[in-house]
Amino acid sequence: MRKTFQIAIDGPVAAGKGTVSRLLAQRLGFLYVDTGAMYRATALLALRHEIDLNDEDKVVALLEKSKLEMRNPLPPKELDGRLTTVILDGEDVSWAIRTQKCGIGASKVAVLSKLRQTLVKKQQEIASTQDVVMEGRDITFRVLPDADLKIFLTANLQARAARRHTQYLTKGMNITIEAVTSEIKERDTRDMQRKIDPLRIVPDAWVLDTSELKIEEVVDLIADKVQKIRNQNTNE
């Protein structure tokens, strides 16, 4: 049986993981898996049912009763700027989960160990059946520890804040760059200090700083690396 090709990408918020991963997946013909969207969808689910995000048993029970699906956007309707299509209980929530509230909620439910186990298992099942570009904050060491290519995608705070601010403005959200910068700093602290699978760089990861690079340049660099790995595997 042919082994799937797995690209695992970790990194802090607003480093460009989503856009880079989506474009890379398109270039290679892989499935793009946005694991962060799964946590955002879980947060949305809990918020809609007015369940305390810290109540692990209730949040997990609600998630297990719900149907969460992900796929690459389908033309023409879903080609509206989204990076991935997220279906929650039959409803397209691709944009509903992209609010600031869901982002904060995602980081809160991400510390629930039972919830993480449930989603990690689903992520691993996806990667075992098809070639994937999977991004998140624990992919290189928890979800896909044997990935063919591990990347830690990062950028400086100024660049990340500018990118996230532009995203918010594009969606019609009135928020200052100062507020966005503060939000990112707080998110970084939560991600790096959480007790379960804190954000970190594994020894065999390729650290790629995108601060001064255009999206296309980042995609080109990674695609070239993938081709070299494939050539090496073919020659072995």
Side-chain angles (χ1 to χ4, degrees), residues 95 98-99 166-173:
W95 288 114
R98 295 300 170 184
T99 64
T166 298
Q167 289 176 351
Y168 283 150
L169 293 180
T170 300
K171 289 183 283 187
M173 299 174 63

Side-chain angles (χ1 to χ4, degrees), residues 27-87:
R27 172 88 63 91
L28 300 174
F30 287 13
L31 173 67
Y32 162 54
V33 182
D34 175 7
T35 61
M38 294 182 175
Y39 290 96
R40 283 175 172 268
T42 301
L44 177 65
L45 191 62
L47 290 169
R48 284 183 170 181
H49 286 77
E50 299 183 343
I51 292 178
D52 187 340
L53 295 175
N54 298 308
D55 192 328
E56 182 170 21
D57 290 337
K58 287 186 177 180
V59 174
V60 172
L62 181 62
L63 178 63
E64 291 180 339
K65 289 190 298 183
S66 303
K67 185 176 183 180
L68 178 60
E69 304 169 271
M70 294 183 66
R71 67 166 183 258
N72 288 333
L74 299 175
K77 185 178 180 180
E78 295 176 4
L79 298 182
D80 55 4
R82 70 183 66 186
L83 296 178
T84 189
T85 293
V86 183
I87 308 296

Side-chain angles (χ1 to χ4, degrees), residues 3-7 30 130-132 148 226 229-230 233:
K3 178 184 180 298
T4 60
F5 197 101
Q6 302 173 353
I7 301 174
F30 287 13
Q130 53 195 311
D131 298 331
V132 298
D148 299 89
V226 170
I229 293 174
R230 282 176 152 174
N233 291 342

Side-chain angles (χ1 to χ4, degrees), residues 170-188:
T170 300
K171 289 183 283 187
M173 299 174 63
N174 185 20
I175 185 171
T176 66
I177 187 67
E178 290 78 15
V180 175
T181 300
S182 178
E183 174 193 332
I184 290 178
K185 286 182 178 179
E186 292 176 3
R187 180 62 181 271
D188 285 348

